[in-house]
Structures are given as structure tokens and as C-alpha cells.
Amino acid sequence: MKVFNLPDLGEGLTEAEIVEWHVAEGEEIAADQPLVSVETAKAIVDIPAPFAGRVARLRVAPGEIAAVGAPLVEFEGEAQARADTGTVVGEVTVGETHVSEAPAPVSKAAAGARAVPAVRALARRLGVDLSIVKPSGGDGVVTKADVERAARMLAEVGEPEPLRGPRRAMAQNMATANAEVVPATLMDDADVHAWSPGQDVTLRLVRAIVAGCRAEPALNAWYDGDAQARWLIRKIDIAVAVDTEEGLFVPVLRDVAERSPEDLRAGLERLKADIKARAVPPDEMRGYSFTLSNFGTIAGRYAAPVVLPPTVAILGAGRIRDTVLAVDGAPAVHRVLPLSLTFDHRAVTGGEAGRFLGAAIKDLEAAD
């Protein structure tokens, strides 16, 4: 018996959701024919069969999530492997079947909850995770009434919705950022009254980031917290946060300092089309050096955007608004763009962040 495991799907991807099997148990298949479609945080990927043979068992059902390296499918006998065991998504892992089903992990929080055996038994019977129950008993002990109250609340709200694809990746990335990054945020405004009507806000922000990185290269960098080392990146590759119903996508505009506005706009439109089709190439979602979040297209003035390691900075842009300013000693109504620059204070000093933001504002306040 041969077992085919979920292969490496690319940098930073540790799991995938099974979307659709293209084979059935008992079916004879050929090497390289479509085997299964999986959905990651980045795209839907088709994985080909690693070899020819008869499918004995599909180990993961559609809708379930498999970790990289987990068994996907078993083949009968000594399946005939092809000469090159690589796939379009990485190196295939094939081995003899010696897999035992692991027990479900025990919640540390639930195990640490203080409750008498009878209350624990009640929680198991009612399907209540003790880790989410607020105790009312003395010394933080969970009581029978606490469990029953939690059960009633769970019955009202219904079954939880498991996070999938981009939303699951966002949750994991935010947890990583919260655990690793030491964030600090600078906020200021850019007077954009000199802009001509119909100005492309996103491209002006990209241009401003280029100006900021040229003035202070320390923010176009990667940082390794374990090694306490940084890399100053010469090329400016900007990840642009894109909001969708399925979650947050962050495709990358490459080498923005060397491209024309027309080329950048065309690149943005291509990335948006790929996101809509869930066909973003994995290479277009990684390896960036700076991040832009133009949340002002929806709502909001200032924020504290989250820096995802190994990058060290993200610029957030709020909603442009009319504001009364002192201009040449007299009050005037000008259009103002609020900015929020969050940086990893382990790798970037306050002075470096200030110089970056000052250069970006100067560029934004210039006329076309």
C-alpha cells in the first residue's frame, strides 16, 4: 500500500481545504491526471496524481482541512511512480502506510478550567467547551449554572462557522504578528488640495511610499527576530490589501519604483481580476517588502495597521475629508488625507519612521 501526502503548497502555507476529488475509490488512474482540487489562502490549486495505480481510499473528505504532509489518498499495491515525483505545487511525499489515527487534541484552557467532575461531565453532555465558560463560583470555579447558561447561549447562536481560505490565513497571520512584532504607530495628515480631479489615490500612495523608502530605506526591509538581523531590500515590492467577501487578499505590485503609472494601474487591475477568479499565482502573494492598506475607500480616519513579519512597516490611508486649515495665516477648507504608519520598533527607530512619513507626505502634497 502506498500513501500520497499533501505536498508543500508554497511559502507560508501549512494547510489546505479539500474542494473536490477528481477520482473515486477503486478507480484506476494514470500519473499526472487531475487528482484533487484544494483551496488555500491564496488560490484554488489542482494537484496531479503522483503515479499510476488503483485508488484504495480517499483519506480526506471535501470540506475538510488537511495539513501539509497529512495523508490524502492510499493506492493499492506497489503503485508505479513516475521518474519525477515533483508536482506543480511542490515535492510529493509518498510512503508506506503506517498511519495511526491520533486522538483529538485536548484544549489546554479546558483542561485548566476549575470544575468538579460532575460539572465536567455535564459540559461534555451538553457539548460545552469549558474554556469559553466564565466561572461564577468562588476561586474561579465553573459551576453547573455556568455550564447551563453557556449551553443556552450556544443554542441561541447556533453552530460556529469554521474559518476557511483567506479568513483562516488572516487569523493565523494576525496571531503570528501579535506574538512577534513590537508595533508603534505614527499618524499625520497630508494636504492633498493641490490634486487634480479624478486623481488615482492608490497610485499616489504607491508613489509616496517610494519617496518614503528612498528617504529612509530602513522601512523597506525584512527583520529576523530570532537572529536579530535585518535585510535592507533594494527593490520596492508593495503588498496592496484588497477587501473581498471571502476575506482579505494581499497581492503584490513588483518593483514599483521602476514602473510607470499606467503599468502599475494595469498590474492592479490584473491582480484584482485574478483575486475575483481565485486564481492568484502563489508568487504574487509573497515576497513583498512593504504593505499598503487603503482602508479609507470604505471608512475610517486613522488606524493601527498590523505589520506582518518579516516586513517591518505598513502604511494605512484613511478617508479623504474636507478640513479647515490655517493657510497663509487665514482659515481655509482643504482636502486632507489621514495617514497611519505602523512599524516594527525592533527594527525601525522612531526617527526613521518619522523621516519616512515626512517624505511620503511631501510627495502626496505635491501637485500632479
Side-chain angles (χ1 to χ4, degrees):
M1 187 76 70
K2 289 285 187 178
V3 178
F4 173 50
N5 302 324
L6 180 64
D8 184 359
L9 300 170
E11 180 182 323
L13 297 175
T14 60
E15 62 187 14
E17 178 182 347
I18 305 303
V19 175
E20 179 185 7
W21 283 102
H22 303 299
V23 300
E25 292 181 354
E27 180 180 347
E28 286 280 355
I29 64 173
D32 289 322
Q33 84 172 65
L35 180 69
V36 63
S37 295
V38 301
E39 182 175 22
T40 71
K42 304 180 184 301
I44 295 178
V45 178
D46 289 330
I47 299 177
F51 37 61
R54 183 184 296 275
V55 177
R57 180 186 175 194
L58 304 179
R59 296 292 299 268
V60 188
E64 293 183 344
I65 293 175
V68 170
L72 284 185
V73 58
E74 297 175 8
F75 291 87
E76 294 180 0
E78 295 296 321
Q80 183 61 48
R82 63 188 180 195
D84 175 14
T85 58
T87 72
V88 294
V89 291
E91 186 68 19
V92 170
T93 303
V94 181
E96 300 296 334
T97 178
H98 298 293
V99 181
S100 61
E101 300 294 340
V106 178
S107 167
K108 293 182 180 179
R114 303 187 64 185
V116 299
V119 172
R120 291 185 181 276
L122 176 64
R124 286 194 297 271
R125 188 167 68 252
L126 297 180
V128 174
D129 183 351
L130 287 177
S131 67
I132 68 172
V133 179
K134 183 176 181 179
S136 64
D139 296 327
V141 174
V142 177
T143 67
K144 176 175 177 286
D146 296 332
V147 172
E148 291 173 340
R149 182 178 62 253
R152 288 194 297 271
M153 294 177 62
L154 290 172
E156 291 175 0
V157 300
E159 291 296 320
E161 176 188 349
L163 297 183
R164 294 285 190 262
R167 292 187 184 277
R168 186 178 180 89
M170 180 180 68
Q172 294 169 337
N173 289 337
M174 295 303 104
T176 298
N178 183 65
E180 294 185 13
V181 175
V182 180
T185 303
L186 287 179
M187 301 177 183
D188 207 340
D189 295 327
D191 182 346
V192 297
H193 201 67
W195 285 7
S196 61
Q199 186 69 244
D200 192 319
V201 178
T202 300
L203 294 191
R204 284 303 301 263
L205 287 166
V206 168
R207 194 181 89 177
I209 290 171
V210 171
C213 290
R214 285 174 172 167
E216 192 46 80
L219 278 79
N220 193 57
W222 293 336
Y223 179 71
D224 183 339
D226 293 332
Q228 292 191 332
R230 70 172 182 173
W231 294 264
L232 297 182
I233 311 299
R234 292 184 179 181
K235 191 170 64 170
I236 304 173
D237 295 329
I238 299 179
V240 182
V242 178
D243 177 68
T244 74
E245 291 184 358
E246 294 181 311
L248 187 67
F249 285 80
V250 192
V252 182
L253 279 176
R254 303 288 179 188
D255 202 11
V256 296
E258 304 301 324
R259 297 170 64 178
S260 68
E262 294 76 17
D263 186 33
L264 288 172
R265 172 46 59 188
L268 273 173
E269 295 305 321
R270 285 194 300 271
L271 290 174
K272 288 180 179 179
D274 287 344
I275 289 171
K276 186 176 181 180
R278 288 305 308 274
V280 185
D283 284 346
E284 297 303 324
M285 300 279 284
R286 61 190 183 216
Y288 51 91
S289 58
F290 197 97
T291 305
L292 168 64
S293 176
N294 189 10
F295 58 84
T297 57
I298 303 172
R301 183 176 299 183
Y302 303 105
V306 178
V307 176
L308 289 182
T311 62
V312 299
I314 177 173
L315 181 68
R319 180 179 291 276
I320 296 175
R321 69 192 190 281
D322 289 337
T323 302
V324 177
L325 302 176
V327 179
D328 298 328
V333 177
H334 277 206
R335 298 175 69 222
V336 167
L337 171 60
L339 300 169
S340 304
L341 174 68
T342 297
F343 57 96
D344 188 342
H345 220 330
R346 299 175 302 169
V348 179
T349 69
E352 290 167 338
R355 286 187 287 274
F356 173 96
L357 189 56
I361 290 173
K362 181 178 179 181
D363 187 86
L364 286 168
E365 291 185 340
D368 301 351

